Amino acid sequence: MRAPGAPLTVIAHRGAPSAAPENTLVSDEVARRGGAAWIENDVQPSKDGVPYVLHDTTVDRTTDGTGPIRSLTSGQLDELDAGSWFAPAYTGTRIPTLAAQLADLRERGGKLLLEIKGPHSRAEVARIVQEVREQRMTDRVFVQSFDVPSLRYAHELAPELPLGLLRDTLDADPVALARELDLSAYNVGDAALATRPQLVGDLHAAGVAVNVWTVDKPARWKALDALGVDGVITNRATELSGWLSGRTG
Ligand code: G3P
Ligand code: CA
């Protein structure tokens, strides 16, 4: 949780998606150079069980291929161009495996807010945990998901990894759910939190951090900063970093 007087944490949503193709290593690099200490990603498995960094259930929007990621092998995914859809300068960019992204963060710096995207089996979550451990990144990864079973699997398999529950609408009793799931954070959509801003204080009293997504406007950064949220997940990490440094001098 954010210490008293400390700035909120800037979390770069899919890297720097307005400057570089989302969820790629070059996008992470742009976000890193812009001052973001944390990168947010989305992880899903290939047909042969390799975790890749991709948001959509298909590769159609962000690569030159077609089809559901779960129907494509790692060999097929490695052939796809994940940059030319964004701009010609990025032609040849690949969909990173989770292992490649973790290795890149370990070498170049940065922490990972790792979203387990969509329902995963226990074996699929175990593979994610295995990659994090093999890349010696356990102390620099924070797991989040909308999918409660995936969070339960992660907690059973790797109790050392902090967990965040993603929500676009509020649960009836987020504090009770946070206790039940042993959450470190409740990661809530900005519009949902605006319906019940006192939830930040309730969760903090229970020792649970609040990270808010996906917030790109300075007026909302200001409101959330005043509310005391711990982190903001944003498509504009460089601008939020600059906005924060302007406030602290
Ligand atoms: O980190 C929260 C946010 O990424 C959840 O929405 O669709 O961008 O994965 P989405
Ligand atoms: Ca995400």
Side-chain angles (χ1 to χ4, degrees), residues 13-14 40 42 55 115 117 144 146 166 213-214 233:
H13 186 240
R14 309 181 200 174
E40 189 264 3
D42 306 280
H55 177 270
E115 180 179 348
K117 178 57 88 183
Q144 66 171 1
F146 288 98
L166 278 165
W213 53 274
T214 299
I233 300 165

Side-chain angles (χ1 to χ4, degrees), residues 25-222:
L25 300 188
V26 68
S27 195
D28 292 356
E29 179 63 17
V30 173
R32 182 184 300 112
R33 291 189 191 201
W38 283 85
I39 303 293
E40 189 264 3
N41 74 357
D42 306 280
V43 173
Q44 304 179 69
S46 63
K47 184 177 182 181
D48 48 335
V50 178
Y52 277 81
V53 180
L54 189 86
H55 177 270
D56 297 2
T57 54
T58 75
V59 299
D60 299 23
R61 181 177 61 88
T62 57
T63 79
D64 60 350
T66 57
I69 179 171
R70 284 172 174 270
S71 74
L72 298 167
T73 65
S74 51
Q76 291 171 312
L77 291 169
D78 289 343
E79 292 296 313
L80 298 180
D81 185 318
S84 57
W85 71 276
F86 186 84
Y90 293 104
T91 299
T93 301
R94 299 297 167 200
I95 310 173
T97 60
L98 174 61
Q101 187 185 38
L102 289 167
D104 192 65
L105 288 165
R106 193 184 65 242
E107 294 301 317
R108 294 172 181 268
K111 301 177 184 180
L112 185 63
L113 180 58
L114 187 167
E115 180 179 348
I116 301 176
K117 178 57 88 183
H120 277 54
S121 68
R122 193 175 197 280
E124 289 166 350
V125 174
R127 178 65 185 263
I128 291 169
V129 167
Q130 177 191 333
E131 305 281 5
V132 172
R133 287 178 171 158
E134 284 182 359
Q135 294 300 327
R136 305 187 308 282
M137 286 288 282
T138 303
D139 59 349
R140 288 161 63 179
V141 167
F142 199 117
V143 170
Q144 66 171 1
S145 188
F146 288 98
D147 187 55
V148 168
S150 292
L151 292 180
R152 290 193 199 278
Y153 295 142
H155 199 45
E156 288 166 20
L157 292 159
E160 69 275 21
L161 289 175
L163 300 180
L165 177 63
L166 278 165
R167 284 296 187 241
D168 52 12
T169 58
L170 298 183
D171 298 285
D173 190 346
V175 171
L177 188 57
R179 288 202 175 106
E180 184 197 332
L181 298 175
D182 202 9
L183 299 179
S184 296
Y186 193 78
N187 294 350
V188 62
D190 189 30
L193 183 62
T195 67
R196 213 165 120 203
Q198 67 273 24
L199 181 58
V200 175
D202 295 344
L203 284 161
H204 282 173
V208 180
V210 179
N211 300 307
V212 188
W213 53 274
T214 299
V215 190
D216 295 337
K217 292 198 164 72
R220 287 305 298 160
W221 296 340
K222 187 174 182 181

